[in-house]
Amino acid sequence: MKIEKSGVLKLFPTYVWATQLAAETYEGINRDIRSRIDLIGQQRQDLEHSGQWQTDQDLHLHPELAGLVDVVLKTARGICESLTIDYGDLSITGCWANVSRQGYAHRQHIHPNNFLSGAYYVDTAPGSDAIAFHDPRPQVGLIVPPARNQDLSNPDRITLDVREGMLVMFPAWLQHSVPPNMSDRTRISVAFNVMFPDFGTRMASPLWKGDTST
Ligand SMILES: [Fe+2]
């Protein structure tokens, strides 16, 4: 067999963007976020007995979140630039904290009606330091031959290790979940969604021209 040329095409890649902030950046951001969450905890002392709770989704409007909002929007703009998207503006449409004690997890889900979603990590520990992404191609599960090497070419999900000061962003349609907190330390993360606020007026019209005027 004579071969002139061969190659493997990796088509339709799924991007997950992970950024570890430097300690000098994240320490202040995390201190501010914790102060907001502590305040909420003081106002709602019943939450102390809850294994898992979430804030309302307007956390990004509080001044203590300004540092994180800045990082999220700068990162989102960089992502849009790298994807060469012609957009006018980006905004955070929802942002909330997840507080999970030992044994608590988040089931598999997506974040509808947004372009990007993400999570930022305020408090993690060994055993509570992961997020899992699920293969967005459900048909792949039809035939799953056993593989000798469970590397990146064949799992149905990929777990990413995270730690304090880490920002993870991904397409809002990508199924993800959080494994149970196996540590005795409370896990705190902040989730958010990012969308084009002028999507309907600026980006939804057809890109093609008709053959006639109307
Ligand atoms: Fe999520």
Side-chain angles (χ1 to χ4, degrees):
M1 179 173 74
K2 291 183 179 176
I3 297 172
E4 184 176 311
K5 195 176 181 181
S6 82
V8 177
L9 304 177
K10 292 190 175 181
L11 304 179
F12 311 118
T14 301
Y15 298 117
V16 173
W17 297 272
T19 304
Q20 174 63 53
L21 300 180
E24 63 191 86
T25 303
Y26 78 70
E27 283 172 356
I29 289 174
N30 288 9
R31 186 180 57 241
D32 290 348
I33 294 172
R34 280 194 197 97
S35 74
R36 183 76 223 166
I37 293 173
D38 287 348
L39 194 63
I40 295 167
Q42 287 163 18
Q43 290 164 350
R44 285 284 312 275
Q45 295 201 349
D46 54 309
L47 295 175
E48 202 174 312
H49 308 292
S50 177
Q52 181 160 263
W53 56 274
Q54 294 175 306
T55 67
D56 275 343
Q57 296 97 341
D58 62 354
L59 201 56
H60 56 300
L61 303 179
H62 291 274
E64 297 95 327
L65 270 286
L68 178 60
V69 165
D70 186 49
V71 169
V72 166
L73 289 176
K74 280 182 177 150
T75 305
R77 288 189 196 106
I79 290 169
C80 288
E81 288 302 319
S82 73
L83 296 174
T84 72
I85 293 171
D86 181 16
Y87 71 101
D89 200 7
L90 282 173
S91 65
I92 295 177
T93 58
C95 177
W96 61 98
N98 299 295
V99 179
S100 305
R101 297 201 166 82
Q102 191 170 38
Y104 284 83
H106 283 284
R107 61 175 173 74
Q108 187 176 334
H109 63 282
I110 62 170
H111 295 207
N113 299 327
N114 286 277
F115 181 61
L116 295 169
S117 291
Y120 174 75
Y121 296 90
V122 180
D123 253 306
T124 65
S128 69
D129 52 355
I131 181 171
F133 295 100
H134 301 259
D135 193 334
R137 307 161 303 164
Q139 64 273 31
V140 171
L142 185 64
I143 294 183
V144 189
R148 286 189 300 278
N149 182 9
Q150 288 286 330
D151 65 8
L152 286 176
S153 68
N154 51 40
D156 63 353
R157 68 168 154 176
I158 293 173
T159 300
L160 178 67
D161 292 335
V162 298
R163 66 180 177 92
E164 286 181 20
M166 191 164 168
L167 177 71
V168 181
M169 294 181 67
F170 44 88
W173 51 258
L174 182 59
Q175 295 271 0
H176 57 285
S177 62
V178 181
N181 180 353
M182 302 304 284
S183 80
D184 55 9
R185 190 178 164 92
T186 298
R187 177 181 189 280
I188 300 176
S189 65
V190 176
F192 54 84
N193 292 324
V194 175
M195 185 54 178
F196 309 106
D198 54 358
F199 185 80
T201 54
R202 179 191 169 95
M203 303 171 81
S205 299
L207 297 173
W208 52 275
K209 293 279 186 200
D211 296 316
T212 71
S213 59
T214 54

